[in-house]
């Protein structure tokens, strides 16, 4: 099989590395609007050829879109316009309702599979790509019934090769849950980073006094804005609900602290400790 | 030297393990209100003897308090009442103004050293204790000039043995900075955990869809409420400022998202990415 990867960053690059190592495909075309990324991808060796978009579409059996979700929505229609009957398109974006609505009425809709591997790091670009990024993690396939069963089969095989567990969901449902368990934590992390940078005018105090706890909580604030700004834009409906709930909880907790109501802060923290048990189930494939 | 450790949890236990391995002291007395902790500490072997508080005070050259900050404030005065002229007392709590105010006018104030090693994990109890917990991290000694130089020297040697970098600060200044770079991130993490547990009525969705990003951001929400509730209580003045700033930033960011102002969300996240450079300086001892 020949794969064409659009977007040679952390996700596209890691995908190519793993699929190549595990012999899922024998030839990898790559396209990226950033020519330097093409050069780096060739140097690292996870693509065989850096080509223009038309060549990639022309020659790939499977086309994977791994670019920011605003760009993905734009490119997917022109891909569907151009694909031949046996070609398959999938994307790896973190929002699914928008792109699914975009392709809904396209005559070649069945050749597209909406998916979202829940994997990543705070790093970006081709040099951030790693093997094993996806292993043992979860991937979501959305609106399965709108895709050709043969296309679904190929994408399932791809994710099985990556050693991921596949869950099926409607696009809208995906966006709601992922707002809560992924997008919200990116926002709280970015805002923590902003607040501490604002309050600590002399950054040496952060440098000196921050421990591993702060480092862990603020890690996601290193993430790529080019990737995250469009995700937040596309998922604003669910994020608005999540942020309302978060801010409300925070204001309540702040009130307890200010009133010296230690019984309530203790009680809330004890209840939230439950997250340990819930998280212990996160990694289902060992 | 003989050390008496009051509180045989993560901090007291890790301290005993490291000081024993590095031969800083040759005998370790331990006290804990929880007798099971005493049993576990003896089994693990990081104390020589589990004793009552009076015996510990009677026999130790150096007494280290490693219990929740509300309990520490209560015990420190009775320790100062009982110490002989050459004994030294220190504590490891995460708030310093309260305990320093408590001992301020005590006739034996000079025998007490206020300190705070910035180290920890989300786990607690004697079984959570590990060697190397403190290595390469920062410790703060507060109001140095109020302690006997000989006492300071011993505590400095203790922290050097732990391979920590020592910073000196006033207690009030310590509490303000640590509110920003440590206590605030514990709160945002707990509230993230609460919000997601509230929103996801079916916890299987957290189990299934949460990635490493959520896990990292919510890690601190596993921390001990018995340790954290009194810390938040004692540091409410600075936390109130920090939480106001955080909530204000979050509300602003939410407004940008809801208004589809992607330029502003992108701009803010790009600025906060700066935290990567700042954090790269966190670990000064290699």
């Amino acid at each position: 099989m020949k794969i064409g990867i659009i977007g040679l960053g952390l996700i596209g690059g890691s995908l190519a590395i793993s699929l190549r190592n595990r012999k899922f495909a024998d030839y990898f075309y790559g396209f990226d609007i950033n020519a330097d990324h093409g050069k780096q991808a060739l140097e690292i060796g996870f693509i065989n050829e850096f080509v223009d978009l038309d060549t990639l579409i022309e020659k790939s059996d499977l086309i994977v879109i791994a670019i920011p979700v605003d760009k993905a929505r734009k490119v997917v229609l022109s891909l569907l316009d151009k694909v031949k009957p046996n070609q398959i398109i999938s994307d790896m974006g973190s929002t699914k309702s928008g792109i699914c609505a975009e392709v809904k009425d396209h005559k070649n809709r069945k050749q597209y599979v909406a998916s979202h591997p829940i994997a990543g790091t705070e790093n970006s670009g081709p040099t951030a790509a790693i093997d094993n990024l996806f292993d043992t993690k979860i991937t979501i396939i959305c609106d399965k019934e709108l895709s050709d069963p043969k296309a679904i089969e190929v994408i399932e095989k791809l994710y099985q090769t990556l050693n991921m567990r596949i869950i099926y969901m409607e696009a809208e449902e995906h966006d709601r849950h992922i707002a809560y368990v992924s997008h919200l934590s990116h926002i709280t992390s970015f805002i923590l980073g902003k607040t501490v940078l604002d309050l600590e005018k002399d950054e040496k105090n952060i440098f000196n006094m921050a421990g591993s706890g702060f480092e862990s909580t603020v890690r996601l604030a290193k993430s790529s804005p080019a990737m995250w700004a469009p995700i937040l834009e596309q998922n604003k409906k669910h994020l608005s609900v999540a942020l309302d709930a978060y801010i409300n909880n925070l204001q309540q907790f702040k009130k307890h602290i200010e009133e010296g109501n230690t019984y309530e802060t203790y009680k809330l923290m004890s209840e939230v400790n439950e997250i340990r048990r819930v998280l212990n189930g996160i990694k289902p494939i060992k």
Side-chain angles (χ1 to χ4, degrees), chain A residues 1-3 15 19 24-25 61-64 86-90 92 110-111 113 115 141 144 147-162 166 168:
Chain A
M1 182 187 302
K2 291 177 172 51
I3 298 195
L15 183 78
L19 293 181
F24 179 81
D61 303 306
L62 166 61
I63 299 165
V64 178
N86 285 323
Q87 285 180 298
I88 298 167
I89 301 166
S90 190
M92 313 218 130
K110 285 181 116 26
Q111 289 171 255
V113 177
S115 76
I141 292 180
K144 182 184 177 179
S147 304
D148 187 325
K150 280 183 212 149
I152 291 286
E153 209 176 295
V154 170
I155 299 303
E156 284 173 342
K157 194 161 167 239
L158 179 150
Y159 284 122
Q160 282 153 7
T161 304
L162 295 177
I166 305 170
Y168 304 89

Side-chain angles (χ1 to χ4, degrees), chain A residues 59 74 115 204:
Chain A
K59 298 200 169 173
K74 282 177 192 150
S115 76
K204 245 189 289 169

Side-chain angles (χ1 to χ4, degrees), chain A residues 8-285:
Chain A
L8 303 172
L10 168 69
I11 298 296
S14 299
L15 183 78
I17 290 172
S18 294
L19 293 181
R20 167 183 296 279
N21 288 348
R22 299 165 199 195
K23 307 192 193 310
F24 179 81
D26 41 31
Y27 206 86
F28 292 79
Y29 296 101
F31 171 76
D32 199 298
I33 45 163
N34 182 338
D36 283 343
H37 283 186
K39 217 177 284 178
Q40 288 168 5
L42 285 168
E43 272 167 25
I44 300 168
F46 62 69
I47 57 170
N48 299 89
E49 230 176 290
F50 186 59
V51 294
D52 61 47
L53 196 51
D54 282 334
T55 307
L56 184 144
I57 298 169
E58 168 69 25
K59 298 200 169 173
S60 305
D61 303 306
L62 166 61
I63 299 165
V64 178
I65 307 170
I67 55 180
V69 294
D70 54 333
K71 309 283 193 304
R73 271 176 79 162
K74 282 177 192 150
V75 87
V76 68
L77 283 181
S78 75
L79 292 177
L80 282 176
D81 287 344
K82 291 174 187 168
V83 282
K84 288 161 283 180
N86 285 323
Q87 285 180 298
I88 298 167
I89 301 166
S90 190
D91 83 300
M92 313 218 130
S94 189
T95 49
K96 297 267 76 83
S97 301
I99 196 166
C100 285
E102 199 81 33
V103 300
K104 191 168 171 284
D105 298 319
H106 196 284
K107 66 179 189 342
N108 296 328
R109 168 65 181 88
K110 285 181 116 26
Q111 289 171 255
Y112 164 72
V113 177
S115 76
H116 174 209
I118 304 178
T121 72
E122 70 277 25
N123 304 315
S124 47
T127 56
I130 48 172
D131 194 6
N132 304 320
L133 178 67
F134 302 101
D135 283 81
T136 79
K137 300 190 182 134
I138 301 278
T139 190
I140 317 280
I141 292 180
C142 290
D143 300 346
K144 182 184 177 179
E145 70 287 355
L146 301 180
S147 304
D148 187 325
K150 280 183 212 149
I152 291 286
E153 209 176 295
V154 170
I155 299 303
E156 284 173 342
K157 194 161 167 239
L158 179 150
Y159 284 122
Q160 282 153 7
T161 304
L162 295 177
N163 192 24
M164 300 189 86
R165 186 155 78 91
I166 305 170
I167 291 182
Y168 304 89
M169 222 172 249
E170 284 177 15
E172 183 70 21
E173 194 192 350
H174 164 277
D175 284 7
R176 184 165 60 83
H177 290 304
I178 210 73
Y180 302 163
V181 299
S182 164
H183 303 173
L184 178 61
S185 54
H186 279 79
I187 294 173
T188 64
S189 191
F190 268 107
I191 298 302
L192 176 65
K194 175 170 172 55
T195 305
V196 172
L197 285 170
D198 284 355
L199 288 171
E200 291 289 9
K201 306 287 179 249
D202 182 353
E203 67 182 40
K204 245 189 289 169
N205 289 315
I206 308 176
F207 176 102
N208 277 335
M209 294 183 68
S212 57
F214 177 72
E215 215 174 349
S216 159
T217 316
V218 86
R219 180 171 69 86
L220 297 178
K222 302 174 189 172
S223 304
S224 158
M227 173 180 167
W228 279 95
I231 290 174
L232 305 185
E233 178 182 294
Q234 290 192 11
N235 212 11
K236 73 176 173 184
K237 185 175 79 180
H238 299 298
L239 279 173
S240 187
V241 173
L243 284 168
D244 275 340
Y246 184 88
I247 291 171
N248 187 45
N249 282 330
L250 196 55
Q251 279 168 333
Q252 193 65 36
F253 196 71
K254 174 171 175 272
K255 191 161 164 279
H256 291 322
I257 293 175
E258 286 172 345
E259 290 173 355
N261 196 340
T262 305
Y263 171 79
E264 286 295 339
T265 61
Y266 182 93
K267 186 163 154 274
L268 181 142
M269 290 191 283
S270 300
E271 286 162 8
V272 178
N273 274 172
E274 180 69 359
I275 200 79
R276 182 189 289 266
R277 188 185 54 73
V278 174
L279 285 171
N280 280 342
I282 276 188
K283 302 183 193 66
I285 307 174

